[in-house]
Amino acid sequence: MVIILKDGATKTQVNDLMDWLTRFDVKTNLVEGVHSKIIGLIGDTTGIDIESVQSQKIVEAVKRVQEPYKNANRRFHPDNTVIEVRGRKIGGGALNVIAGPCSVETEEQTIKTAIAVKEAGATMLRGGAFKPRTSPYAFQGLGKEGIDILKKAREETGLPIVTEVMDLSDLDLFEDVDIIQVGARNSQNFTLLKALGRCDKPVLLKRGLSGTLQELLMSAEYIMSEGNTKVILCERGIRTYETATRNVLDLASVPLLKQKTHLPITVDPSHATGVASLIEPCALGAIAVGCDALEIEVHIDPQHAWSDGAQSLTPEQFTATMEKLRAMAEFCGRPIDTAEN
Amino acid sequence: MVIILKDGATKTQVNDLMDWLTRFDVKTNLVEGVHSKIIGLIGDTTGIDIESVQSQKIVEAVKRVQEPYKNANRRFHPDNTVIEVRGRKIGGGALNVIAGPCSVETEEQTIKTAIAVKEAGATMLRGGAFKPRTSPYAFQGLGKEGIDILKKAREETGLPIVTEVMDLSDLDLFEDVDIIQVGARNSQNFTLLKALGRCDKPVLLKRGLSGTLQELLMSAEYIMSEGNTKVILCERGIRTYETATRNVLDLASVPLLKQKTHLPITVDPSHATGVASLIEPCALGAIAVGCDALEIEVHIDPQHAWSDGAQSLTPEQFTATMEKLRAMAEFCGRPIDTAEN
Amino acid sequence: MVIILKDGATKTQVNDLMDWLTRFDVKTNLVEGVHSKIIGLIGDTTGIDIESVQSQKIVEAVKRVQEPYKNANRRFHPDNTVIEVRGRKIGGGALNVIAGPCSVETEEQTIKTAIAVKEAGATMLRGGAFKPRTSPYAFQGLGKEGIDILKKAREETGLPIVTEVMDLSDLDLFEDVDIIQVGARNSQNFTLLKALGRCDKPVLLKRGLSGTLQELLMSAEYIMSEGNTKVILCERGIRTYETATRNVLDLASVPLLKQKTHLPITVDPSHATGVASLIEPCALGAIAVGCDALEIEVHIDPQHAWSDGAQSLTPEQFTATMEKLRAMAEFCGRPIDTAEN
Amino acid sequence: MVIILKDGATKTQVNDLMDWLTRFDVKTNLVEGVHSKIIGLIGDTTGIDIESVQSQKIVEAVKRVQEPYKNANRRFHPDNTVIEVRGRKIGGGALNVIAGPCSVETEEQTIKTAIAVKEAGATMLRGGAFKPRTSPYAFQGLGKEGIDILKKAREETGLPIVTEVMDLSDLDLFEDVDIIQVGARNSQNFTLLKALGRCDKPVLLKRGLSGTLQELLMSAEYIMSEGNTKVILCERGIRTYETATRNVLDLASVPLLKQKTHLPITVDPSHATGVASLIEPCALGAIAVGCDALEIEVHIDPQHAWSDGAQSLTPEQFTATMEKLRAMAEFCGRPIDTAEN
């Protein structure tokens, strides 16, 4: 951490600041120039609150050199984290494809979709039982019943199930879920993240609506600092001024995150674009930039979906898309995961 | 709601869609042109999920004419909502100033600050007991103890207390709080909003980090649709590409919200700018554009604040600022609320 | 400027870098810690290209301490710049109001509007002769004829005229214009800025569509570094994800720019919001935060305006608004400029 | 175009509006409901200024159904545009790779780089002679001399040359250039675009810093409406709140633009990310999503580059990257263009 001091800081003020800094377990170095003074902090600065330093009277600016996350940091954990889920290995070199409906609507719809996506080659089943909707008047998900339906679909197909938790108070219902998803709107619900950190279950953590990559890593750190290291990050597009797609899919985030962290990375082209015809090309691009998994919405009857129909693929479209994804995954040396329960 | 159909939609497809639309309690009108067809929906469209319409095969685009919120809508509730809190009336024509530390740190710090802001003319006390921090290694707030300290400060000064809830599971601790604040990161925590809708307590709802004004109103609608109509909206700056201030304070949102809704509007220049020297001018601007209340961070010793020191005013600075705010509020015909408990 | 070196930089590499840095006329200081090394550059770093430093192999990060602009910097020119235009003084403590139509359409429309805004108390006349329009099929402005009409309106009313230049090649036509405006889309048209720097005429420089405040100051620096110091900055809203207003008016930029620069600041609530009913409250807010001038669109017949009708005030609306602006300006100690030609 | 009328519009007002609309060569249809009235416009609405409609007193909202561009619209020109440049065909099914230094610095540097990128398989040479730099104190490019050096490099290697024009007044210097580039900051310099529309030379048009895809297509329309149909679009990242990369590369824009327009699409991962190590994965992703060409910065000595060194590849890195791009391009059925002059 580098602390740049304001012009005109007196010797006494500087000494006071140096004293104050001793509370953190770091070494300080003062550089004095004609016009400016700089203090370099050497040591583990993860625990230093940058804001408390910034609020010191004689501090002009502070710049972090080290990243403020440890557990999620590739620097300290060079090897890729591999998360095993009923035989599939996310982050282990093979590509996983998590497919299914936006919302679990009925048992028939869910099981039919599950069978269809399995036949097409998907390796996991997704489906929302708790749905974060902008309007209180929109369908809010089936809740517990939705999770029960997903379990039946898992029984039927053997596909592990991925579903979103919206609130801490529902966490008990997720005990038999395979991967717990945290949605974009909960990406900085720190109380929930800490609780998930005390579970022994993989967490698929989505980037916030306008979350930075560092914030995503800090949210992962919240989970990991409580003990749960099974975190999967998910790029799902960010909010910008552009309205042609629902969000802007930030594919450069995948190789960048791969440099910064050892955690596996998922890409969700369905929520990122909101346009069914863009899912296939974006999924191909996501494999090419190096993602470990994809999350794709499939509905047996998108026109009658209760949510997100416009961005859902039909089973036929998904099957055709999977053909191309399979070829791309093989070309990239990360063939689709074939492990079975 | 206006539904624009794709080129080449057949008569049968159009009829099917018209049939499907009958499920909603609205009247449909078809306009047929040479190149395009349009369906107009007449009636209460609040309950129609725009996405489910958009996902219909022959639909090119959908445009809402009516706003999707009812309870928060000025169209249906022309009179301003006035929220009474221990004698102060937010939205009743007088200006309220909610001041206090970012975090409750100690009893001494909180009570000293409370006394100072009261003397300077603040009408309510703010202070965080639960702190949403990006880093798990930063100070997370005193929790229950913090709320107890706030209550003591209220006893000491008579100032109503405003403090943030971070999770549903803590809600019991807020029973004796005067206004419950929902932070920007929880602005779309729908489970929490619904629970607050079942409380009989004013809720100060902050705009999301990158929340639209319509999303803010929909979040208010979540609370109101459960029965609690005491919602105060808060503009606290939005996230953009600009880094000169912490967020970009959107003051045009105040008169715009005043047109759209009857709910009172607060402005938080401290979080919006993150720069102590910008708080006074921005607070003056906020009064000039028509806000009902201000939320301002004050700390007896910003340099040693445990959070947000850089944007906190000292009691002396706050006193000087209040002089100007008082004059501006009077000039604007909304003098500072003088009611006492 | 502070240069943070990568872990593992060797002594030779560091020495090479220190040697390379001697090309700039600055003093270097090396701080060596256990885990990281930092070089502080002391002296005038304005001329150092931060990118060339960042591209050095062993450089982890670079942070500027000094601002990269000199002429526009209040640090080096503490006194406010006052720009005199036919007796009015922008930046001299009085408020100027620049009003008029978005586009000059006809002589009648322009002169009628000019007379109306003068009567209402406007101190300058604006009007577009060259119009930057997103579509090549939209009205592009009257060009030279438009400027001639503005001159006639000036003759009629005595109001100085402000009009936008779109291209260097048209600059000759602006010889007799009082203030040359540079639009948001030309805010980084550096060739044009340099040419304006060689004129002896006030330039009203708008912030870019998504321009940072530092970029705005650097664009001012382009003009000033060529010799023309008569630059007026204009906040006109920035592009964000929010669609409720055309742009997001960043009023905190006014006091912030006042700290950073000695140049006068204008606010354009018409382009910022794009909504006629928001102009008055935002203009009041702009005065309250400390602007030196306002730019407001007025059209004698907004419904038949050839551009921007939705955000234009009628003369009647403008007259009523001016009453309020006048009172606010007086309250803020910056009464409307009364100087006459 | 669909016009939604305000509540309470009277019969006379509606009739007046219908009359006013007859000025445009379109058919109008009125839909009258209990609470709202809608007018549908049928016909060619490209020439209608949406703003002039929006400013009509009784208009609540306007929604375009047809895109406002014709020449660039795939709907009217279903076949891909193929632009031939010295034997290479951009948009013709093969991938073109435009490589070279950010800035032309010296003859030696440029020719060495040109030879190196040609050997590695690049099909065109890029290099900046006129450089748009944020600071007036940064290197501004060699100007005419730079273009002469590029021509020598073309003589030496046979590679067509691509270079950026910054101002209309320099256009004569570009007569013998193969592709004229328009930078992000000039993406809405409409006077320049119109002048380029009167040239008979391919134009590589970059998306604006915060340009929408529709604005990009409208800027292409400016060029095309003047007669020049040889326009190549370029995705180069957009400005957002995220600072981990210089811009956010919007790869979904490639398949979306492919649907909307018949023009070829280039992707520039160097400017998009600003990070050398992200160029290869992003270029692979760009091919996977369907781009026609790539623009990549290569410098023989990035550490001593006069601009953009941090994002430049060395010839060795570029050669290694080209191996992977070649394989990906073949896999995607769009092998690298092998045509020679």
Side-chain angles (χ1 to χ4, degrees):
Chain A
M1 192 174 282
V2 178
I3 303 172
I4 298 151
L5 303 183
K6 285 189 182 149
D7 280 11
T10 65
K11 210 171 178 71
T12 318
Q13 286 177 315
V14 175
N15 285 341
D16 283 356
L17 181 61
M18 306 274 281
D19 274 359
W20 181 79
L21 288 165
T22 57
R23 65 172 60 186
F24 308 109
D25 194 23
V26 290
K27 220 184 117 190
T28 56
N29 279 282
L30 177 68
V31 194
E32 291 186 82
V34 184
H35 294 296
S36 59
K37 298 192 182 66
I38 294 154
I39 299 174
L41 299 194
I42 314 291
D44 177 9
T45 60
T46 319
I48 302 183
D49 186 3
I50 201 164
E51 286 177 359
S52 69
V53 180
Q54 246 153 0
S55 65
Q56 301 306 306
K57 220 179 217 157
I58 59 167
V59 172
E60 171 81 33
V62 185
K63 186 156 179 70
R64 235 180 226 294
V65 183
Q66 284 184 311
E67 291 92 355
Y69 44 93
K70 274 187 277 198
N71 294 294
N73 201 328
R74 190 180 280 280
R75 195 186 294 237
F76 307 122
H77 306 77
D79 292 340
N80 284 332
T81 284
V82 181
I83 295 171
E84 207 172 323
V85 184
R86 295 182 181 260
R88 286 83 180 164
K89 289 177 182 144
I90 301 189
L95 182 77
N96 274 276
V97 180
I98 306 163
C102 176
S103 300
V104 174
E105 296 162 9
T106 65
E107 188 173 322
E108 194 200 348
Q109 164 250 15
T110 306
I111 290 179
K112 272 194 182 166
T113 307
I115 292 172
V117 300
K118 191 187 178 182
E119 272 173 19
T123 60
M124 302 194 188
L125 177 67
R126 59 147 290 147
F130 293 90
K131 299 299 307 170
R133 304 301 299 274
T134 307
S135 168
Y137 309 119
F139 173 57
Q140 310 273 317
L142 297 180
K144 183 185 177 314
E145 190 194 336
I147 293 182
D148 290 340
I149 292 175
L150 285 169
K151 288 184 203 164
K152 282 188 197 149
R154 179 176 61 195
E155 242 170 77
E156 201 73 38
T157 59
L159 293 178
I161 54 178
V162 182
T163 193
E164 180 170 341
V165 67
M166 271 182 66
D167 195 80
L168 187 48
S169 56
D170 300 318
L171 210 48
D172 287 349
L173 300 172
F174 289 74
E175 208 170 325
D176 193 26
V177 156
D178 298 299
I179 299 182
I180 304 180
Q181 181 168 304
V182 176
R185 284 172 182 77
N186 273 320
S187 195
Q188 293 197 309
N189 183 335
F190 302 120
T191 313
L192 178 61
L193 296 177
K194 281 192 237 179
L196 290 169
R198 293 183 294 265
C199 294
D200 180 35
K201 215 169 251 315
V203 177
L204 195 159
L205 176 66
K206 294 206 158 187
R207 186 179 184 177
L209 287 189
S210 64
T212 63
L213 296 178
Q214 179 159 313
E215 285 172 343
L216 179 61
L217 290 166
M218 291 308 283
S219 289
E221 191 78 9
Y222 257 99
I223 301 170
M224 298 174 86
S225 67
E226 296 285 331
N228 183 356
T229 58
K230 297 181 193 157
V231 180
I232 304 157
L233 305 176
C234 182
E235 162 62 32
R236 44 76 73 203
I238 57 171
R239 182 169 276 187
T240 76
Y241 65 87
E242 173 63 79
T243 56
T245 45
R246 179 187 278 201
N247 295 291
V248 169
L249 178 61
D250 178 10
L251 283 184
S253 72
V254 177
L256 189 64
L257 285 171
K258 282 278 170 200
Q259 292 173 12
K260 301 266 183 205
T261 186
H262 49 92
L263 298 173
I265 321 287
T266 301
V267 171
D268 176 347
S270 304
H271 280 90
T273 64
V275 181
S277 63
L278 298 178
I279 293 174
E280 182 180 294
C282 289
L284 290 167
I287 300 172
V289 296
C291 73
D292 296 296
L294 287 163
E295 196 166 10
I296 295 178
E297 287 188 7
V298 180
H299 195 283
I300 44 165
D301 185 5
Q303 287 205 70
H304 296 95
W306 298 2
S307 61
D308 278 355
Q311 71 192 37
S312 290
L313 299 182
T314 61
E316 295 68 39
Q317 289 169 327
F318 180 67
T319 304
T321 289
M322 278 301 286
E323 283 308 301
K324 299 206 181 159
L325 301 188
R326 186 175 291 113
M328 177 64 85
E330 270 160 31
F331 171 75
C332 292
R334 292 196 312 287
I336 291 178
D337 203 332
T338 53
E340 292 276 327
N341 190 19
Chain B
M1 192 174 280
V2 179
I3 303 172
I4 298 152
L5 303 184
K6 285 190 181 149
D7 280 9
T10 65
K11 212 173 177 71
T12 318
Q13 285 177 315
V14 175
N15 286 340
D16 282 357
L17 181 60
M18 306 274 280
D19 274 359
W20 181 80
L21 288 164
T22 58
R23 64 172 61 186
F24 308 108
D25 194 22
V26 290
K27 220 184 116 190
T28 57
N29 278 282
L30 177 68
V31 195
E32 292 186 81
V34 184
H35 294 295
S36 60
K37 297 192 184 68
I38 294 155
I39 299 174
L41 298 194
I42 314 290
D44 178 8
T45 58
T46 320
I48 302 182
D49 186 2
I50 201 164
E51 286 177 0
S52 69
V53 180
Q54 245 152 1
S55 64
Q56 301 306 307
K57 219 178 217 158
I58 59 168
V59 171
E60 171 81 31
V62 185
K63 186 158 178 68
R64 235 180 225 294
V65 183
Q66 285 184 310
E67 292 91 355
Y69 45 93
K70 273 186 279 199
N71 294 294
N73 201 329
R74 191 181 279 278
R75 194 186 294 238
F76 307 122
H77 307 76
D79 292 340
N80 285 332
T81 285
V82 181
I83 295 171
E84 208 172 323
V85 184
R86 295 182 181 260
R88 286 85 180 163
K89 288 178 181 144
I90 301 190
L95 182 77
N96 274 277
V97 180
I98 307 164
C102 176
S103 301
V104 173
E105 296 163 9
T106 65
E107 189 172 321
E108 194 202 348
Q109 164 249 14
T110 305
I111 290 179
K112 272 194 181 168
T113 307
I115 293 171
V117 300
K118 191 187 177 183
E119 271 173 20
T123 59
M124 302 195 189
L125 176 68
R126 59 147 290 148
F130 293 89
K131 299 300 307 170
R133 305 300 300 275
T134 307
S135 167
Y137 308 119
F139 172 57
Q140 310 272 316
L142 296 181
K144 184 183 177 313
E145 190 195 337
I147 293 181
D148 291 340
I149 292 175
L150 285 169
K151 288 184 204 164
K152 282 188 197 152
R154 180 176 60 195
E155 240 169 78
E156 201 73 39
T157 60
L159 294 178
I161 54 177
V162 182
T163 193
E164 180 171 340
V165 67
M166 273 181 66
D167 195 83
L168 187 49
S169 55
D170 300 318
L171 210 48
D172 288 349
L173 300 173
F174 289 74
E175 208 168 325
D176 194 26
V177 156
D178 298 298
I179 299 182
I180 305 180
Q181 180 168 305
V182 176
R185 285 172 181 78
N186 272 320
S187 195
Q188 293 196 310
N189 183 334
F190 302 121
T191 314
L192 178 62
L193 297 177
K194 280 191 236 179
L196 290 168
R198 294 184 293 266
C199 293
D200 181 34
K201 214 169 253 315
V203 177
L204 195 160
L205 177 66
K206 294 208 158 186
R207 185 179 185 178
L209 287 189
S210 64
T212 63
L213 296 178
Q214 179 160 314
E215 285 172 343
L216 178 61
L217 290 166
M218 292 307 284
S219 289
E221 192 78 10
Y222 257 98
I223 299 169
M224 298 174 87
S225 66
E226 296 286 330
N228 183 355
T229 58
K230 297 180 192 156
V231 180
I232 303 157
L233 304 177
C234 182
E235 163 62 31
R236 43 78 72 205
I238 57 172
R239 181 169 277 187
T240 75
Y241 64 87
E242 173 63 78
T243 55
T245 44
R246 179 186 278 201
N247 295 290
V248 169
L249 178 61
D250 178 11
L251 283 183
S253 72
V254 177
L256 189 63
L257 285 170
K258 282 278 170 199
Q259 292 174 12
K260 301 266 182 204
T261 186
H262 48 91
L263 298 172
I265 321 287
T266 301
V267 171
D268 177 347
S270 303
H271 280 91
T273 64
V275 181
S277 63
L278 298 178
I279 292 174
E280 181 179 296
C282 289
L284 290 167
I287 299 171
V289 296
C291 73
D292 297 295
L294 287 164
E295 195 166 12
I296 297 177
E297 287 188 6
V298 179
H299 195 283
I300 43 165
D301 186 5
Q303 287 205 70
H304 297 97
W306 297 2
S307 60
D308 278 355
Q311 71 192 38
S312 290
L313 299 181
T314 61
E316 295 68 39
Q317 290 170 327
F318 180 66
T319 303
T321 289
M322 278 301 286
E323 282 308 300
K324 299 206 181 158
L325 301 188
R326 184 176 293 115
M328 176 64 85
E330 270 160 29
F331 171 76
C332 291
R334 292 197 312 286
I336 291 179
D337 204 332
T338 54
E340 291 275 326
N341 189 19
Chain C
M1 193 174 279
V2 178
I3 303 171
I4 298 151
L5 303 184
K6 286 188 182 150
D7 280 10
T10 65
K11 211 174 177 72
T12 318
Q13 286 176 315
V14 175
N15 285 341
D16 283 356
L17 181 62
M18 305 274 282
D19 274 359
W20 181 81
L21 288 164
T22 59
R23 65 171 61 185
F24 309 109
D25 194 22
V26 290
K27 220 184 116 188
T28 57
N29 279 282
L30 177 69
V31 194
E32 292 185 80
V34 183
H35 293 296
S36 59
K37 297 190 183 68
I38 294 155
I39 299 174
L41 298 195
I42 314 291
D44 178 8
T45 58
T46 320
I48 303 184
D49 187 3
I50 201 163
E51 287 178 358
S52 68
V53 179
Q54 244 152 2
S55 64
Q56 301 306 307
K57 220 178 217 160
I58 59 167
V59 172
E60 171 81 31
V62 185
K63 186 157 177 70
R64 234 181 226 294
V65 184
Q66 285 184 311
E67 293 92 355
Y69 45 93
K70 273 186 279 197
N71 294 294
N73 201 328
R74 191 179 279 278
R75 194 186 295 238
F76 307 121
H77 306 77
D79 293 339
N80 284 332
T81 285
V82 181
I83 296 172
E84 207 174 322
V85 184
R86 296 182 179 259
R88 286 84 181 164
K89 289 178 181 142
I90 301 189
L95 182 78
N96 274 276
V97 180
I98 307 165
C102 176
S103 301
V104 174
E105 296 162 10
T106 64
E107 189 173 321
E108 196 201 347
Q109 164 250 13
T110 306
I111 290 179
K112 272 195 182 165
T113 307
I115 292 171
V117 300
K118 191 186 178 180
E119 272 172 19
T123 60
M124 303 196 188
L125 177 68
R126 59 147 291 146
F130 293 90
K131 298 301 306 171
R133 304 300 300 274
T134 307
S135 167
Y137 308 119
F139 172 58
Q140 309 273 315
L142 296 180
K144 184 185 177 311
E145 191 194 336
I147 293 181
D148 291 340
I149 292 174
L150 286 169
K151 288 184 202 163
K152 282 188 198 152
R154 178 175 61 194
E155 241 170 75
E156 201 73 38
T157 59
L159 294 178
I161 54 178
V162 182
T163 192
E164 179 171 340
V165 66
M166 273 182 64
D167 195 81
L168 186 50
S169 57
D170 300 318
L171 209 49
D172 287 350
L173 300 172
F174 290 73
E175 207 169 326
D176 194 25
V177 156
D178 298 299
I179 299 182
I180 304 179
Q181 181 168 304
V182 176
R185 285 173 181 78
N186 272 320
S187 195
Q188 293 196 309
N189 183 334
F190 302 121
T191 314
L192 177 62
L193 297 177
K194 281 192 235 179
L196 290 168
R198 294 184 293 266
C199 293
D200 181 33
K201 214 168 250 320
V203 177
L204 195 160
L205 176 66
K206 294 207 158 186
R207 185 178 185 178
L209 287 189
S210 64
T212 64
L213 296 178
Q214 179 159 313
E215 285 172 344
L216 179 61
L217 290 165
M218 291 307 282
S219 288
E221 191 78 10
Y222 257 98
I223 299 170
M224 298 174 87
S225 67
E226 297 285 330
N228 184 356
T229 58
K230 298 179 192 157
V231 180
I232 303 156
L233 304 177
C234 182
E235 163 60 32
R236 43 77 73 205
I238 58 171
R239 181 170 278 188
T240 75
Y241 64 86
E242 173 63 78
T243 56
T245 45
R246 180 187 278 200
N247 295 290
V248 169
L249 179 61
D250 178 11
L251 283 183
S253 72
V254 177
L256 188 64
L257 285 170
K258 282 279 169 199
Q259 292 174 11
K260 300 267 182 203
T261 186
H262 50 91
L263 298 173
I265 321 286
T266 301
V267 171
D268 176 348
S270 304
H271 281 90
T273 64
V275 181
S277 64
L278 298 178
I279 292 175
E280 182 179 297
C282 290
L284 290 167
I287 299 171
V289 295
C291 73
D292 297 295
L294 287 163
E295 196 166 11
I296 295 178
E297 286 189 6
V298 180
H299 195 283
I300 44 166
D301 186 6
Q303 288 205 69
H304 296 97
W306 297 3
S307 61
D308 277 355
Q311 71 192 40
S312 290
L313 299 181
T314 61
E316 294 68 38
Q317 290 170 327
F318 180 67
T319 303
T321 289
M322 277 301 286
E323 282 308 300
K324 299 207 182 157
L325 302 188
R326 184 175 293 113
M328 177 63 85
E330 271 160 30
F331 171 75
C332 291
R334 293 196 312 287
I336 291 178
D337 204 331
T338 53
E340 290 277 326
N341 188 17
Chain D
M1 193 175 281
V2 178
I3 303 171
I4 298 151
L5 303 184
K6 284 188 182 151
D7 281 10
T10 65
K11 212 174 177 73
T12 318
Q13 285 177 316
V14 175
N15 285 342
D16 283 357
L17 181 61
M18 306 275 280
D19 274 0
W20 181 80
L21 288 164
T22 58
R23 63 172 60 186
F24 308 110
D25 195 22
V26 290
K27 222 183 115 189
T28 57
N29 279 282
L30 178 69
V31 195
E32 292 186 81
V34 183
H35 294 296
S36 60
K37 297 190 182 70
I38 294 156
I39 299 174
L41 297 194
I42 315 289
D44 178 8
T45 59
T46 320
I48 303 183
D49 186 2
I50 201 163
E51 286 177 359
S52 68
V53 180
Q54 245 152 0
S55 64
Q56 300 306 306
K57 220 178 218 157
I58 59 166
V59 172
E60 171 81 32
V62 185
K63 186 156 178 70
R64 237 179 223 294
V65 183
Q66 285 184 310
E67 292 92 354
Y69 44 91
K70 273 187 277 197
N71 293 294
N73 200 329
R74 190 180 279 281
R75 194 185 294 237
F76 306 122
H77 306 77
D79 293 339
N80 285 331
T81 285
V82 181
I83 295 171
E84 207 173 322
V85 184
R86 295 183 181 258
R88 285 85 181 163
K89 288 177 183 144
I90 300 189
L95 181 78
N96 274 277
V97 180
I98 306 165
C102 176
S103 301
V104 174
E105 296 162 9
T106 65
E107 189 174 321
E108 195 200 347
Q109 163 249 16
T110 306
I111 291 180
K112 272 195 181 166
T113 307
I115 292 171
V117 300
K118 190 186 178 181
E119 272 173 19
T123 60
M124 302 196 189
L125 177 67
R126 60 148 289 147
F130 293 90
K131 299 300 307 170
R133 304 301 299 275
T134 306
S135 168
Y137 309 119
F139 173 57
Q140 309 273 316
L142 296 180
K144 185 186 176 311
E145 191 195 335
I147 294 182
D148 291 339
I149 291 175
L150 285 169
K151 289 184 202 164
K152 282 189 197 150
R154 178 175 62 196
E155 241 169 76
E156 201 74 38
T157 59
L159 294 179
I161 54 179
V162 183
T163 192
E164 180 170 339
V165 66
M166 272 182 64
D167 194 81
L168 185 50
S169 56
D170 300 318
L171 209 50
D172 287 350
L173 301 172
F174 289 74
E175 209 169 323
D176 194 25
V177 156
D178 298 299
I179 299 182
I180 304 179
Q181 181 167 304
V182 176
R185 284 173 182 77
N186 272 319
S187 195
Q188 293 197 309
N189 182 334
F190 301 121
T191 314
L192 178 62
L193 297 177
K194 280 192 235 177
L196 290 168
R198 293 184 294 266
C199 295
D200 181 33
K201 213 167 252 317
V203 176
L204 195 159
L205 176 66
K206 295 206 159 186
R207 186 178 185 178
L209 287 190
S210 65
T212 64
L213 296 178
Q214 179 160 312
E215 285 173 343
L216 179 61
L217 289 165
M218 291 308 282
S219 289
E221 191 79 9
Y222 256 98
I223 300 171
M224 298 175 87
S225 67
E226 296 285 330
N228 184 356
T229 58
K230 297 180 192 157
V231 180
I232 303 157
L233 304 176
C234 182
E235 163 61 31
R236 44 77 73 204
I238 57 172
R239 181 170 278 187
T240 76
Y241 63 86
E242 173 64 79
T243 56
T245 45
R246 179 188 279 201
N247 294 290
V248 170
L249 179 61
D250 178 11
L251 283 183
S253 72
V254 177
L256 188 64
L257 284 170
K258 282 279 168 200
Q259 292 174 11
K260 300 268 181 202
T261 186
H262 48 91
L263 298 173
I265 321 288
T266 300
V267 171
D268 176 347
S270 304
H271 280 90
T273 64
V275 181
S277 64
L278 298 178
I279 292 174
E280 183 179 294
C282 290
L284 290 167
I287 300 172
V289 296
C291 73
D292 297 295
L294 287 163
E295 196 166 10
I296 295 176
E297 286 188 7
V298 179
H299 195 284
I300 44 165
D301 186 5
Q303 287 205 68
H304 296 96
W306 297 1
S307 61
D308 277 356
Q311 71 192 38
S312 289
L313 299 182
T314 61
E316 295 67 40
Q317 290 170 326
F318 180 66
T319 303
T321 289
M322 278 301 286
E323 283 308 301
K324 299 206 181 157
L325 302 188
R326 185 175 291 114
M328 177 64 85
E330 270 160 32
F331 171 75
C332 291
R334 291 195 315 288
I336 292 178
D337 204 330
T338 53
E340 290 278 326
N341 188 20

